[in-house]
């Protein structure tokens, strides 16, 4: 409303309609590994897996592309999850002791996860609700009995409650109190002590009336629910951690807090049993840590698997995260890099089968999911088709390449396969295969590149819902780092007992932070790429299908250009290895350009047709001819007063040695170790403290108000010389007024933090014959053509040249290979310069302003990321518009027309507090985008109404419907609570398929017979779980600069004088 | 002396159309007369004055004493006419050499020092600071103005700060705060943005139009309600070259009183409760502002093939939008004509049309900061 009147555009209804056809905001899918997982469940019938998180999200995974997401209304930790086998329903227990029933429902043929019911255990019956300590009714364990119709809840107080699952109502009168159990115990065992909380509940596979109950004190009881009597009692005396009931019901395995496990025989008639048949401490004799969970699986081929977590010798290996797999004489100690959350085996669950025959072991860790094939000797790990730990080393940058040619795709895939050989047998493939992916094959291949702190670049298949790892490029091999020798020595020196085996790829400890990848650029036509890092290294690489051994030529470019008076106080440059080096098939380095001083590279761009790479740091930018391996240009952009940039970052970048690494691990360990419940109590305490602090906060604000200085930028602000963007274009830069038609030619553009833009005209030798790959030999020359100083001095975020039709110029080779329309070189070109505060289009070659939009002046937000994207219409097959997509520091996404720069739509996308999310955002060429919602997860969003990548899948579920279903369908969908500011389509409450059909009984029912047309528009997107984010990711100085305020207290005392003066002047004006 | 002088006025004849002029230069007086109804043009008057005082070779400024005894300048036809027509009946003219001109004199009531006590009493203790620095009118450059007085509620003030080309810092700080508003439901506390501090000597302070604890309502026509402190900060900085802030002054006693409304009713009672004024910036021409600010500097590069040493930044200087910078004298241009485009640059510079709007406001900062570019 407060826009200037003359700016108001009449809402053109036609344009509005077109906008609706072009733009729509959806958060579609989360890629990567869920942040802070806390619970795991597996449905052996549907072969789907569920992961719950500490923020209350529930994610269900099946075959690649089959994904469901739900979010509990309360952001409480999901502590346990249990599938109702084959029904597509899931019972979750949160740490506030509430139970929630989720179900997978099909709408229009596509399945969604929705919360159906919730339940909170009331105060203990028979007691006054107020007097009973609430902790006594805290649910510790849940067991689904009788094929999922009934659930048993074990509590802190030792009681077991029974619950009707379909309605989530308590079955009164069936509750089993500890007193009832105590009655059947011998007096000397009782000796006046309580049994402790219910630690474990296990059901019998074949006899659903029997329940194995384990109490914390060590007592095991087989309870016959039908007869309501104790069948069997095992008088254990060691504190119990977990239980496992053998398939035939004759053996019970218990694990204990002292690191021992015991096997009890249930066949022996003598009840109570006093002694286990076997009791061992596998990693004894020295004190061991608790075995938190144990599984006993028998095999047809004889013998059995015992799989347990923990139990390591406390003193020597107490800090390891281990799962031990024992079969007969073979013991393997799987050594993981992060805490173990839970694990399960994929095995036969049909009651009629004689044996479990486990096929695979899936271990959920804090930071990754590892699946081992138990049928192949050696138990190799199975590569996961999704749930990849993106953060196996912290992500430092990302880039998206759209429309990857099939040839390059195949070469990258084959390079990746040579890196990690795929399992030969198809039997040992990914065991979690439930559901059907209904999404169409992606029309084009999208590649997501992530640069990591350890100097690797990972290539991900981002074409579909499942983000699949393709290939990993490591640049560390080119450099000498001081850590690697120590590492290999340490490995060899380790004892062979316990038989550790390193599993998993999560390794957050960077050997040398200078290896960190800052910028990546890939040319998809020539398979050449440039990777630039923290220590000013710029690597030009080329994809090769065969391994080779060659030396990498090194050149250094001094960006200071004899600027006097500055000394670099930052890190040293990385020293490259000399001589011939072996390189595996894949991207192999050709040239290393070292920027001096070795500050982090802040911008990079590659032009393969001209054989040029441009790079910039906080000191200046350079241009390098990698074909002739000679520098072309170096220019210092430092302001004379800017000393901060020179001195480099504070010396936090010392390389971390192995010892440091170990101590970090120990610190981490000590933080997360200890009993679960203690941790819970701690977290409660912290929560309360946090709330107190929050309440106290407003007072503090009133005491010392935050103030902001209103002062325009001056030229000598620090870091003004940082090169923010670089760009190559074939366009008109030189204005030769005498000629009627100015001629175009190669140009290079650079934009800095202080709003300066430098444009160079390049003299590149032209290939005589069109179509030849290599340009002829000859020196490249660069001539400064234009220098633009934006008056508002805001950092230049992006530069792009638009052709005569107002479209961005194609990438190198794109036009010449007929993959894109050739640019219009007749009409006048224009350059779009996006600064943090405004967008401007200037004419070329005479740089005069044509259109602009002052975003900051209007909205009070700053530009963080921009990209030119093509938006295709949903209504018309071949109508598309090129627009400017922009992410602001408030987390909003705006779309502007190009070159008119008229605002089209805007959506709120990321929370503005989520600095790392905003910093990590990357847009694709077709109106999608990615940003990190946690260190390990990318959220994918779509701005385009047509180009949406979201999970569309179905699941063959079968469960008895009954009348209760209609009543709870009316409840609010939990997705409503996800305030992401988007007009997401909410499906109206409806009863899916009419009246309950008595003929629908379990087993006969297959998938829902809905044959609706799949239209992406009508599908409610599976939106994000609003998880609490750890914002310790890649935060640059610019990101936090806004949060720092300067205060000049010295000026305060003159305030009175100022007021007097103000009054006098006001009279004068009057 | 003044007193006796005023007494003599009564002796003058009333119906005479001639205005007696008493002109003083240094210690010398000259007397002549002008036609009250046809005073003629300022230029002629100037010539007459310098001729009468025989100081034709020096540059002088002319001022006169108005009815209140204030010394006001005569430097154009309008104020000359005003001076003559308001002469009652004697027009007292004071001449100073320009270089010696007393910058503190105009408007500050140098002639009425004896009346000052009375004035001070009437103005309820609002002391005027003597010796305000007011330079010569043609050196004037707008620094600040109160605009849109006619459309804003009387409790609000819209202040325009022209920072362009000014070396002074804008010089104020803003903070979050709580504003009390009258709504149909009674008093309501809403978050607001307030000026928290003024930097002494800054532009904001020197205008006297903004003060600590003034509530900021709009920035360049955009309401700040619902925006965070950081957003408002960014908006102000983005508009800092030509900042228009609408404030509700903490001190409501200096409000402009319009029409027949009593000042009391316009005071605190209608504080922010009244219907918001049409949110239009009237005295604000977007084109003007935009071209002000759009004046990004474009430096044309030289076309010479780059020598191995690329230190010397080549190029001439011109303004992107053809505004502002007066073309440099030709003697500067050849310095850069090291190659093909040397002549082209010259042509371009001379083709530039200096925009009169900007003749006053040379972006000094912008040009100077490009040190290397100026070494043409």
């Amino acid at each position: 409303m407060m826009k200037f009147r003359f700016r108001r555009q009449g809402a053109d209804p036609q344009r509005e309609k077109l906008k609706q056809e072009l733009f729509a905001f959806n958060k579609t899918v989360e890629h990567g590994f869920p942040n802070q997982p806390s619970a795991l469940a597996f449905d052996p019938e549907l072969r789907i897996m569920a992961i719950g998180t500490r923020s209350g999200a529930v994610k269900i995974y099946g075959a690649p592309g089959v994904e469901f997401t739900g979010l509990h209304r309360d952001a409480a930790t999901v502590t346990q999850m249990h599938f109702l086998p084959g029904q597509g329903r899931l019972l979750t227990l949160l740490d506030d002791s509430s139970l929630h029933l989720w179900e997978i429902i099909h709408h229009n043929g596509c399945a969604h996860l929705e919360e159906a019911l919730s339940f909170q255990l009331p105060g203990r019956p028979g007691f006054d609700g107020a007097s009973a300590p609430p902790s006594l009714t805290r649910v510790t364990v849940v067991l689904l009995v009788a094929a999922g119709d009934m659930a048993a809840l074990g509590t802190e107080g030792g009681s077991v409650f029974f619950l009707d699952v379909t309605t989530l109502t308590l079955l009164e009168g069936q509750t089993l109190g500890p007193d009832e159990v105590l009655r059947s115990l011998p007096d000397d065992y009782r000796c006046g002590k309580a049994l402790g909380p219910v630690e474990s509940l296990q059901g019998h596979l074949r006899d659903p009336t029997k329940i194995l109950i384990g109490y914390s004190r060590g007592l095991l009881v087989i309870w016959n629910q039908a007869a309501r009597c104790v069948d069997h009692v095992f008088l254990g005396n060691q504190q119990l951690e977990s239980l496992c009931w053998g398939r035939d019901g004759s053996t019970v395995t218990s694990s204990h807090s002292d690191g021992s496990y015991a096997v009890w025989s249930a066949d022996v008639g003598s009840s109570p049993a006093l002694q286990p048949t076997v009791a061992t401490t596998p990693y004894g004799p020295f004190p061991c840590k608790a075995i938190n969970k144990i599984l006993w699986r028998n095999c047809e081929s004889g013998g059995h698997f015992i799989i347990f977590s923990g139990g390591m010798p406390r003193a020597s290996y107490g800090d390891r995260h281990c799962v031990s797999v024992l079969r007969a004489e073979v013991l393997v100690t799987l050594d993981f890099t992060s805490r173990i959350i839970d694990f399960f085996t994929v095995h036969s669950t049909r009651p009629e089968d004689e044996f479990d025959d486990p096929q695979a072991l899936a271990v959920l860790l804090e930071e990754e999911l590892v699946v081992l094939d138990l049928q192949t000797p050696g138990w190799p790990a199975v590569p996961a088709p999704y749930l990849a730990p993106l953060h196996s080393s912290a992500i430092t940058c990302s880039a998206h390449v759209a429309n990857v040619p099939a040839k390059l795709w195949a070469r990258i895939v084959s390079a990746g396969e040579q890196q990690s050989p795929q399992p030969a047998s198809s039997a040992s493939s990914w065991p979690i295969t439930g559901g059907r992916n209904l999404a169409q094959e992606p029309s084009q291949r999208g590649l997501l590149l992530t640069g990591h702190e350890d100097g690797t670049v990972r290539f991900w298949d981002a074409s579909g819902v499942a983000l699949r790892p393709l290939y990993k490029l490591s640049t560390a091999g080119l450099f000498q780092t001081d850590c690697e020798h120590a590492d290999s020595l340490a490995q060899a020196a380790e004892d062979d007992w316990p038989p550790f085996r390193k599993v998993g790829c999560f390794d957050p400890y960077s050997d040398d932070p200078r290896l960190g990848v800052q910028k990546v650029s890939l040319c998809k036509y020539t398979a050449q790429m440039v990777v630039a890092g923290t220590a000013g290294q710029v690597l030009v690489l080329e994809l090769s299908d065969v391994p080779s051994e060659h030396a990498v030529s090194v050149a250094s470019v001094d960006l200071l250009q004899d600027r006097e008076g500055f000394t670099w106080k930052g890190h040293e440059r990385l020293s490259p290895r000399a001589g011939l080096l072996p390189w595996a098939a894949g991207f192999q380095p050709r040239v290393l350009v070292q920027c001096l001083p070795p500050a982090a590279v802040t911008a990079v761009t590659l032009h393969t047709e001209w054989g040029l790479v441009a790079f910039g740091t906080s000191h200046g930018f350079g241009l390098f001819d990698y074909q002739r391996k000679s520098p072309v240009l170096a220019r210092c952009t430092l302001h004379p007063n800017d000393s901060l940039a020179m001195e480099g970052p504070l010396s936090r970048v010392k390389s971390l040695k192995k010892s440091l690494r170990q101590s970090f691990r120990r610190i981490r360990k000590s933080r997360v170790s200890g009993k679960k419940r203690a941790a819970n109590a701690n977290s409660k305490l912290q929560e309360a403290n946090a709330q107190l602090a929050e309440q106290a906060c407003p007072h503090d604000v009133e005491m010392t108000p935050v103030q902001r200085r209103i002062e325009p930028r001056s030229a000598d602000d620090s870091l003004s010389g940082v090169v923010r963007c670089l760009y190559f274009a074939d366009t008109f830069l030189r204005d030769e007024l005498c000629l009627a038609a100015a001629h175009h030619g190669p140009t290079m553009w650079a934009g800095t933090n202080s709003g300066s833009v430098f444009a160079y005209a390049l003299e590149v030798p032209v290939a005589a014959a069109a179509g030849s790959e290599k340009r002829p030999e000859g020196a490249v020359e660069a001539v400064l053509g234009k220098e633009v100083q934006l008056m508002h001095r805001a950092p230049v975020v992006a530069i792009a040249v638009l052709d005569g039709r107002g479209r961005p110029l194609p990438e190198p080779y794109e036009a010449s290979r007929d993959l894109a329309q050739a640019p219009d070189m007749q009409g006048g070109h224009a350059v779009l310069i996006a600064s943090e505060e405004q967008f401007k289009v200037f004419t070329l070659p005479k740089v005069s302003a044509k259109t602009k939009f002052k975003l900051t002046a209007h909205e009070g937000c700053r530009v963080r990321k921009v990209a030119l994207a093509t938006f295709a219409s949903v209504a018309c097959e071949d109508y598309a518009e090129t627009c400017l997509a922009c992410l602001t520091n408030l987390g909003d996404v705006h779309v502007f027309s190009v070159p008119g720069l008229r605002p089209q739509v805007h959506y709120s996308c990321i929370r503005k507090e989520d600095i790392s999310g905003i910093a990590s955002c990357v847009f694709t060429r077709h109106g999608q985008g990615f940003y990190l919602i946690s260190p390990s997860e990318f959220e994918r969003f779509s701005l385009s109404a047509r180009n949406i990548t979201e999970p569309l899948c179905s699941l063959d579920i079968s469960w008895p419907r009954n009348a209760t279903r209609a009543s709870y369908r009316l409840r609010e969908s939990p997705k409503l609570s996800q305030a992401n500011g988007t007009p997401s389509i909410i499906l109206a409450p409806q009863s899916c398929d009419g009246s309950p059909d008595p003929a629908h009984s379990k087993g006969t029912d297959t998938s829902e017979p809905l044959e609706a047309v799949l239209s992406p528009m009508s599908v409610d997107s599976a939106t994000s779980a609003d998880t609490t984010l750890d914002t310790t990711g890649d935060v640059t100085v610019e990101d936090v600069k806004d949060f720092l305020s300067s205060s000049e207290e010295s000026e305060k005392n003159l305030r009175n004088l100022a007021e007097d003066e103000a009054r006098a002047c006001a009279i004068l004006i009057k | 002396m003044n007193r006796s002088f005023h007494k003599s006025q009564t002796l003058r004849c009333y119906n005479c159309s001639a205005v007696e002029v008493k002109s003083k230069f240094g210690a010398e007086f000259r007397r002549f007369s002008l036609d009250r109804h046809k005073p003629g043009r300022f230029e002629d008057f100037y010539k007459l004055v310098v001729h009468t005082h025989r100081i034709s070779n020096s540059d002088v400024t002319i001022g006169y004493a108005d009815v209140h005894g204030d010394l006001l300048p005569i430097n154009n036809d309008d104020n000359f006419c005003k001076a003559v027509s308001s002469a009652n009946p004697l027009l007292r003219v004071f001449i100073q050499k320009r270089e010696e001109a007393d910058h503190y004199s105009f408007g500050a009531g140098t002639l009425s020092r004896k009346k000052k006590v009375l004035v001070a009493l009437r103005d309820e203790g609002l002391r005027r600071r003597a010796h305000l620095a007011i330079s010569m009118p043609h050196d004037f450059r707008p620094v600040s103005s109160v605009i849109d007085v006619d459309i804003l509620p009387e409790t609000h003030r819209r202040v325009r700060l022209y920072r362009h080309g000014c070396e002074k810092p804008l010089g104020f700080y803003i903070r979050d705060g709580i504003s009390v508003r009258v709504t149909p439901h009674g008093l309501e506390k809403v978050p607001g943005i307030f000026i928290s501090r003024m930097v002494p000597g800054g532009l904001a302070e020197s205008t006297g139009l903004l003060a600590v604890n003034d509530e900021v309502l709009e920035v360049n026509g955009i309401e700040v309600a619902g925006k965070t402190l950081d957003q408002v900060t960014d908006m102000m900085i983005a508009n800092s070259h030509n900042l228009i802030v609408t404030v509700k002054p903490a001190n409501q006693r200096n409000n402009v009183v319009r029409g027949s409304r009593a000042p009391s009713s316009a005071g605190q009672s209608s504080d922010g409760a009244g219907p918001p004024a049409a949110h239009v910036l009237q005295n604000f021409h977007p084109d003007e502002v935009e071209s002000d600010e759009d004046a990004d500097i474009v430096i044309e590069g030289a076309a010479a093939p780059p020598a191995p040493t690329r230190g010397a930044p080549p190029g001439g200087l011109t303004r992107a939008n053809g505004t502002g910078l007066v073309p440099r004298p030709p003697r500067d241009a050849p310095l850069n004509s090291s190659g093909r485009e040397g002549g082209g640059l010259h042509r371009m510079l001379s083709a530039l049309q200096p925009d009169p709007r900007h003749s006053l406001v040379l972006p000094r900062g912008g040009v100077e900061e490009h040190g290397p570019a100026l070494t043409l």
Side-chain angles (χ1 to χ4, degrees), chain A residues 2 4 7 632 707-708 710-711 782-787 789 791 793 840 852 860 862 1048 1058 1068, chain B residues 132 170-174 196-197 205 220-221 230-231 234 290 294 296-297 299-302 306 310 369:
Chain A
M2 283 307 298
F4 297 138
R7 276 195 206 283
V632 178
Q707 36 178 8
R708 293 275 185 272
I710 307 299
E711 213 56 72
V783 186
L784 182 63
K786 295 269 183 349
E787 218 179 299
Q789 173 62 58
M791 221 41 200
R793 295 194 176 280
K840 274 186 167 174
K852 68 154 174 273
R862 293 161 155 280
E1048 286 147 63
L1068 268 181
Chain B
L132 266 185
L170 269 175
F172 66 100
Y173 290 71
I174 56 171
S196 64
R197 204 159 105 197
E205 187 215 38
N220 286 51
D230 289 329
Q231 275 178 283
D234 283 342
E290 315 230 321
D294 252 355
D296 304 318
I297 300 167
I299 301 161
E300 296 290 328
R310 295 178 180 88
E369 280 149 9

Side-chain angles (χ1 to χ4, degrees), chain B residues 91-144:
Chain B
L91 175 64
R92 288 185 292 152
V93 170
F94 300 86
I95 299 162
Q96 282 179 299
K97 280 197 175 172
R98 170 143 305 177
E99 53 270 28
E100 298 164 358
D102 180 6
H103 288 184
Y104 301 104
S105 56
F106 283 123
T110 43
L111 294 176
S112 53
R113 274 185 200 134
K114 285 185 182 166
K115 288 189 198 164
K116 228 178 139 182
V117 184
L118 288 172
V119 170
L121 282 176
R122 265 211 311 276
D123 285 354
E124 296 170 336
L126 295 180
R127 281 165 290 129
R128 287 181 181 181
R129 275 168 42 112
H131 302 303
L132 266 185
I134 295 182
S135 58
M136 298 316 296
H138 58 82
D139 296 335
F140 283 171
R141 159 180 73 68
V143 170
S144 66

Side-chain angles (χ1 to χ4, degrees), chain A residues 2-7 561 632-634 705-713 715 734-737 756 763 781-793 837-838 840 842 847-849 852 854 856-860 862 889-890 912 1042 1046-1049 1051-1052 1054-1055 1058-1070, chain B residues 126-127 129 132 146 163 169-176 196-197 199-200 205-210 212 218 220-223 227-231 233-241 243 251 253-254 279-281 284 286 290 293-306 310 314 320-321 340-341 348 363 366 369-370:
Chain A
M2 283 307 298
K3 295 271 146 57
F4 297 138
R5 181 179 283 172
F6 40 80
R7 276 195 206 283
Q561 294 286 293
V632 178
L633 166 78
V706 184
Q707 36 178 8
R708 293 275 185 272
R709 187 187 172 130
I710 307 299
E711 213 56 72
R713 274 185 204 82
R734 306 181 200 191
D735 30 0
E736 277 154 69
L737 301 178
S756 302
E763 292 282 350
E781 288 177 358
V783 186
L784 182 63
K786 295 269 183 349
E787 218 179 299
V788 181
Q789 173 62 58
L790 299 177
M791 221 41 200
H792 59 288
R793 295 194 176 280
E837 292 186 356
Q838 46 182 270
K840 274 186 167 174
F842 297 89
V847 180
S848 60
K852 68 154 174 273
K854 299 200 286 180
T856 308
H858 284 155
E859 312 280 343
R862 293 161 155 280
N889 65 333
L890 303 178
K912 70 176 176 205
D1042 301 347
S1046 63
S1047 65
E1048 286 147 63
E1049 297 299 322
E1051 293 159 353
K1052 249 193 206 160
L1054 289 163
R1055 191 183 294 163
E1059 269 173 13
D1060 272 1
E1061 205 175 330
R1063 221 173 281 160
C1065 291
I1067 299 278
L1068 268 181
I1069 299 291
K1070 238 157 102 182
Chain B
L126 295 180
R127 281 165 290 129
R129 275 168 42 112
L132 266 185
V146 177
R163 193 189 164 273
L170 269 175
F172 66 100
Y173 290 71
I174 56 171
R175 62 168 169 89
D176 280 316
S196 64
R197 204 159 105 197
V199 176
E205 187 215 38
S206 64
T207 65
L209 299 174
L210 300 173
V212 171
E218 291 172 9
N220 286 51
I222 295 163
E223 232 175 278
K227 291 207 156 59
T228 64
L229 184 64
D230 289 329
Q231 275 178 283
T233 307
D234 283 342
M235 285 166 70
M236 285 188 170
I237 290 174
N239 287 305
S240 57
H241 50 87
L243 182 61
N251 177 1
R253 279 173 293 169
N254 294 333
H279 292 296
V280 181
L281 292 180
F284 176 76
E290 315 230 321
E293 158 267 343
D294 252 355
D296 304 318
I297 300 167
V298 177
I299 301 161
E300 296 290 328
R310 295 178 180 88
N321 307 315
R340 284 159 283 178
E341 283 191 343
M348 174 179 302
E369 280 149 9
H370 254 282

